[in-house]
Amino acid sequence: MSLFAQDFSEGPFSQLIIRGAMLINGNGAPPRGPVDIVVEKNIIKDVVVVGYPGVLIDESKRPRLKPGGKELHAGGMYVLPGFVDMHGHIGGVAQGADSDYVFKLWMAHGVTTVREPSGRGVDWAMKLKRSSEKNEIIAPRIFVYTGFGQGSNTPISTPEMARNWVRENAKKGADGVKFFGATPEIMTAALDENKKLGLRSACHHAQTDVARWNVLHSARAGLTSMEHWYGLPEALFDNKTVQDYPLDYNYQNEQHRFEEAGRLWKQAAKPYSDHWNNVMNELLELDFTLDPTFNIYEASRDLHRARRAEWHETYTLPSLWRFYQPSKISHGSYWHNWGTEQEVAWKENYRLWMIFINEYKNRRGRVTVGSDSGFIFQLYGFAYIRELELLREAGFHPLEVIRSATLNGAEALGYADKIGSVEVGKLADFVIVDENPLQNLKVLYGTGAVRLTEDNEVVRAGGVKYTIKDGIIYDAKKLLADVKRIVEEAKEKEGFSIKQPGIKE
């Protein structure tokens, strides 16, 4: 642990006991408490129920603290497993967001594990992964899924080239591959080789290849998870083979791309129809994971809400704010002429999309939480909590939401024996908040939840209090305060203040 990191953290400890908390353990079980959670050298050694509501705890029956150990008093607080962000890009050059800024926002919101699905390259990501493993930096645990073909000197154009690239990616230590689509022959070869090597995979089924290779093709070939929803409505088509593109459509025009994507679910088979059920059932049989990332498209259905989110003023970098603005160049800045008609179409898109996701969960399918932050007015950390709220909107019980954020993500990564739930033998990754997140997920936002007291005073409740990763206690509020400092300094340097699009003064 660096000296700088010690400004925000304590530990690790030979023994850590979290005292008297309410536990939401991540496997779908209801809360219970008070409990004492005993950790030794980053391993959960015991979870002990130490009392009953309203009854004084018998101190003689509690786990004993060993010399050199640390007690964290969490009476009245809630302990959850560390959150898993299954779609976390570690900043970007165009956004001007470096890893330190991004990591602190994630950790301040309880995200202790991130899967990066394509970024600045495997070598860059693996360097951060190794530093995180050693706790040399303040960062979540990182799983690296390299973008397919990234680093290749020439475009991958044959099945053998695909297999060779997958082998080299594995040699460099990557945990998997992120696909965007390719010819059926190349996708088949790459997925087969990746599966032989025991690695996992994700895919954003881009429109450039989805007409020949949709989600069902990928799942049958060995893909382990899909990102967003592209490729799923196409698998559900029952009266066409391509979406109903306007004849003047241009994929490079992102207003075209996202506007027409908002009409896509309506072109799919109707919910609960035979074809709809058959597609879902086959994906379930293949143990396929859905990572919907609802939040990243929310501006499409309510642009005003997304761009006016209260955290932008304090925590969004000037460079990132500029990247979000209407542009013909920046990815996801497709507000060329966005209005009521587009938003109404996207609202219907969400309704149909959410029906599928909720039913997939109801049939015991695995749904995870991914944020895809750094685009479309979605800020790291804050967007992750918004994704939890959107799963709730889709029909998930709050306990199902937490399971998607924890154990389901761990399972999808093949790491559920180590993280994802608060159980003996697992690593010491926790989120501690002084409010009940099941009653109001908004208490997990760094800005907290607005509440009116009995004295008619408006206050903010919640915000993650502690994020614990590998047994190291991070003060989440200090992390967030440092992000505020970073943003303030960037604004001061530029003389910058946030202005809404098109407003000059």
Side-chain angles (χ1 to χ4, degrees):
M1 179 66 64
S2 70
L3 290 175
F4 182 67
Q6 290 174 9
D7 294 337
F8 306 97
S9 65
E10 291 184 85
F13 309 96
S14 57
Q15 185 194 47
L16 169 65
I17 302 181
I18 302 170
R19 297 282 195 192
M22 289 289 292
L23 173 64
I24 301 172
N25 75 0
N27 67 4
R32 60 173 179 156
V35 301
D36 285 359
I37 302 168
V38 182
V39 174
E40 294 181 4
K41 295 181 180 178
N42 191 26
I43 302 295
I44 300 171
K45 291 295 185 180
D46 209 352
V47 180
V48 183
V49 176
V50 295
Y52 303 90
V55 178
L56 194 64
I57 295 174
D58 184 347
E59 294 294 330
S60 68
K61 296 181 179 178
R62 306 185 83 168
R64 295 297 179 185
L65 187 68
K66 296 178 181 179
K70 165 76 175 180
E71 287 183 315
L72 184 62
H73 294 281
M77 300 182 192
Y78 285 75
V79 174
L80 301 83
F83 295 145
V84 179
D85 191 333
M86 287 289 286
H87 199 113
H89 296 290
I90 306 173
V93 175
Q95 293 95 323
D98 67 19
S99 57
D100 181 60
Y101 168 79
V102 173
F103 289 154
K104 283 176 179 171
L105 280 168
W106 273 331
M107 294 282 281
H109 287 89
V111 176
T112 57
T113 299
V114 167
R115 179 183 68 169
E116 188 189 40
S118 179
R120 302 187 199 185
V122 63
D123 295 332
W124 182 83
M126 285 302 301
K127 182 179 178 181
L128 290 173
K129 176 185 173 78
R130 287 188 286 267
S131 294
S132 174
E133 285 175 344
K134 297 174 185 175
N135 291 305
E136 295 172 341
I137 57 174
I138 298 172
R141 183 176 293 102
I142 300 168
F143 285 77
V144 178
Y145 281 38
T146 316
F148 179 61
Q150 203 167 21
S152 178
N153 293 326
T154 57
I156 295 175
S157 57
T158 68
E160 190 52 39
M161 288 177 70
R163 289 183 184 276
N164 288 336
W165 183 91
V166 169
R167 293 186 198 111
E168 286 302 310
N169 184 55
K171 287 179 183 177
K172 291 180 178 180
D175 302 287
V177 182
K178 161 76 176 295
F179 294 91
F180 292 90
T183 66
E185 296 79 12
I186 288 174
M187 288 293 291
T188 299
L191 285 166
D192 178 66
E193 193 66 30
N194 198 61
K195 187 175 180 179
K196 284 179 180 176
L197 295 170
L199 301 186
R200 294 175 185 245
S201 48
C203 187
H204 168 154
H205 293 79
Q207 284 95 330
T208 49
D209 288 288
V210 75
R212 290 192 293 171
W213 188 272
N214 62 42
V215 166
L216 272 182
H217 297 111
S218 288
R220 290 166 181 163
L223 186 76
T224 58
S225 71
M226 64 164 285
E227 306 307 296
H228 317 308
W229 50 269
Y230 304 109
L232 184 50
E234 288 87 349
L236 292 166
F237 285 164
D238 57 6
N239 63 353
K240 58 173 66 71
T241 61
V242 298
Q243 75 181 74
D244 188 15
Y245 294 109
L247 300 184
D248 64 346
Y249 181 98
N250 182 346
Y251 183 74
Q252 290 303 107
N253 179 331
E254 288 207 338
Q255 168 106 15
H256 284 186
R257 174 181 166 185
F258 285 94
E259 183 173 350
E260 295 308 316
R263 298 185 171 99
L264 191 46
W265 272 96
K266 204 168 183 178
Q267 298 172 44
K270 291 182 179 180
Y272 309 106
S273 64
D274 287 346
H275 184 53
W276 192 92
N277 280 319
N278 289 340
V279 170
M280 180 177 291
N281 289 335
E282 185 170 354
L283 293 175
L284 290 166
E285 289 170 6
L286 292 166
D287 193 29
F288 194 64
T289 297
L290 305 185
D291 187 44
T293 68
F294 286 126
N295 79 94
I296 196 59
Y297 303 104
E298 191 172 23
S300 300
R301 68 173 186 171
D302 193 345
L303 175 57
H304 185 80
R305 181 193 191 284
R307 66 181 173 83
R308 296 294 295 181
E310 64 178 355
W311 38 81
H312 288 314
E313 296 287 341
T314 306
Y315 301 109
T316 296
L317 286 167
S319 56
L320 189 53
W321 182 255
R322 285 191 291 268
F323 181 78
Y324 292 151
Q325 303 313 303
S327 169
K328 293 180 180 180
I329 299 170
S330 299
H331 174 51
S333 298
Y334 47 89
W335 323 111
H336 307 177
N337 186 20
W338 202 263
T340 306
E341 293 306 304
Q342 288 80 9
E343 290 189 356
V344 168
W346 265 95
K347 284 180 170 70
E348 177 66 2
N349 215 43
Y350 265 84
R351 185 184 72 83
L352 296 168
W353 180 17
M354 285 178 165
I355 289 172
F356 192 96
I357 297 297
N358 191 51
E359 182 63 13
Y360 196 78
K361 174 265 298 178
N362 288 343
R363 297 187 193 182
R364 302 297 187 266
R366 187 183 303 107
V367 177
T368 57
V369 176
S371 67
D372 198 11
S373 304
F375 305 92
I376 319 179
F377 293 103
Q378 296 302 322
L379 184 60
Y380 312 93
F382 289 94
Y384 186 86
I385 306 307
R386 182 58 186 156
E387 184 71 6
L388 304 185
E389 290 193 283
L390 290 167
L391 286 174
R392 182 73 185 95
E393 180 184 327
F396 286 46
H397 185 282
L399 285 169
E400 293 174 326
V401 172
I402 299 302
R403 183 172 60 197
S404 288
T406 56
L407 187 58
N408 284 7
E411 289 177 350
L413 293 170
Y415 214 61
D417 61 328
K418 299 286 194 300
I419 62 171
S421 57
V422 181
E423 298 181 62
V424 172
K426 292 195 175 185
L427 301 180
D429 285 11
F430 309 105
V431 181
I432 301 179
V433 61
D434 57 10
E435 297 277 336
N436 183 354
L438 302 180
Q439 291 180 325
N440 185 2
L441 291 165
K442 293 184 191 299
V443 302
L444 294 169
Y445 284 118
T447 46
V450 176
R451 185 169 297 164
L452 190 66
T453 69
E454 292 296 324
D455 297 325
N456 203 35
E457 179 188 1
V458 179
V459 298
R460 291 294 179 120
V464 173
K465 191 170 182 65
Y466 301 111
T467 298
I468 301 178
K469 177 219 168 191
D470 285 336
I472 299 169
I473 304 170
Y474 294 88
D475 187 317
K477 296 184 186 296
K478 283 186 178 180
L479 292 175
L480 210 53
D482 199 55
V483 173
K484 180 180 178 181
R485 175 194 61 80
I486 292 169
V487 172
E488 285 175 347
E489 288 180 359
K491 286 182 174 180
E492 185 176 350
K493 183 178 180 180
E494 296 187 24
F496 177 88
S497 62
I498 282 180
K499 291 183 175 66
Q500 294 302 318
I503 297 175
K504 303 300 182 185
E505 297 181 3

